[in-house]
Each structure stands twice: as structure tokens, then as C-alpha cells.
Amino acid sequence: MAQVADKVAEAQRRERETQQQLHSPAADRGPYDVDPADLAEQWVARHAEWRRIAAVMDDQGWPVYSPEQDVQGSTWARERDEQREGALARRAAWQMERQDARDELKAQVWLPADASRRLRAIATRTGLEPEQVLAQLADRVRIDDDGALTVDAFTPR
């Protein structure tokens, strides 16, 4: 109970301090400092949660906090874990997408008229876009030891 009371008092103090920081003139916080509004919201939430835990312990007569018996707190913890896992998965997917975008080569190609007509005809016959045909061709180009280019057998995908 004493530890929970200490946590409630600390959260109350930190909440008050971060609110004061919000209303004070902005100082150069540097590139690694957190957003004071976000920090203030976190301390408000922590203060509310510690007060809730203290109230549950008082109502139930628990001398020690037990997360297994705190159904509401355990449910919230599971929901937070699921949200965090979802956010981490979305961030990982976004980072992979950004990496893939960096790996892509986007180029504007100017071809002679006869090569352009052949490329369009191949694309039409295969049901691909011209850039997809070029990508498949590029996958099959090899450079010999003497520097000559060769193209492996081409079968549309």
C-alpha cells in the first residue's frame, strides 16, 4: 500500500511539473527531448491509473496489489499490449515499404520508335505493362567476362 501511495504522489507531482512546463516559455529542448504536451498526457494517465489501483486495493482490502485479481487493469494491460504490437507491426511494414521504395529504380526510358513498338507489342501479347516487360528483361541480362551482354531465355511470368 505504501508503494502505491508513493507512486500516486510521484505521478501527482510529475503531472503538476509537466503542466507547469507546458505553460512556461518554450526553451530549446534539443533533438532528444520529448514533447511536453505528450509527457503531460502520459503523467495524467499514470496518475489516474495509480489512483485507480489505490482505490481497488482499498475497496478490496488487499495489502499487496495483485494484477491477476485486478480484472479491469489486466484487461487494459492486454489491450495496451495488443495496441503496441499492432503499432510495432505497422511500423515494421511501413519501414519495409520505405526500404522497398528506396530499392526501386524509377527511370524514364526513351526508346527508338521500332524498339518502342516491339516493346508495346510484347506487353500487349503477354498482358503486362511495358515497364513489367523491361523489368523481366533486366532480370535475365547477364554480362560475360568480355563485357558482352546476353539475355537468358525469356518466358513471360
Side-chain angles (χ1 to χ4, degrees), residues 12-24:
Q12 183 178 20
R13 181 178 52 79
R14 298 275 183 131
E15 180 182 352
R16 187 176 51 253
E17 289 171 356
T18 55
Q19 288 296 328
Q20 289 170 351
Q21 282 180 334
L22 272 178
H23 301 299
S24 65

Side-chain angles (χ1 to χ4, degrees), residues 39-106:
L39 186 61
E41 288 176 19
Q42 289 179 29
W43 279 111
V44 167
R46 286 180 185 175
H47 186 202
E49 178 61 7
W50 281 115
R51 284 193 325 255
R52 186 194 69 77
I53 289 171
V56 166
M57 288 178 68
D58 191 41
D59 289 347
Q60 301 295 324
W62 297 343
V64 176
Y65 177 71
S66 174
E68 296 81 25
Q69 293 177 328
D70 184 1
V71 177
Q72 184 179 18
S74 297
T75 301
W76 287 349
R78 278 191 300 279
E79 289 172 358
R80 278 192 309 269
D81 288 344
E82 290 169 4
Q83 288 174 348
R84 183 176 34 253
E85 288 171 11
L88 290 173
R90 286 189 301 277
R91 179 163 174 78
W94 174 76
Q95 285 177 324
M96 183 62 95
E97 187 177 296
R98 287 188 64 212
Q99 181 62 42
D100 289 347
R102 279 194 297 261
D103 291 344
E104 286 181 6
L105 172 65
K106 296 177 184 167

Side-chain angles (χ1 to χ4, degrees), residues 104-149:
E104 286 181 6
L105 172 65
K106 296 177 184 167
Q108 189 171 20
V109 179
W110 295 91
L111 299 172
D114 60 331
S116 180
R117 280 192 293 273
R118 280 185 300 200
L119 178 60
R120 285 195 190 109
I122 292 168
T124 301
R125 289 183 62 195
T126 59
L128 300 171
E129 294 294 322
E131 58 271 10
Q132 292 171 312
V133 173
L134 289 174
Q136 288 188 22
L137 284 171
D139 283 344
R140 289 164 175 74
V141 171
R142 306 287 177 255
I143 300 176
D144 293 339
D145 291 337
D146 60 356
L149 295 177

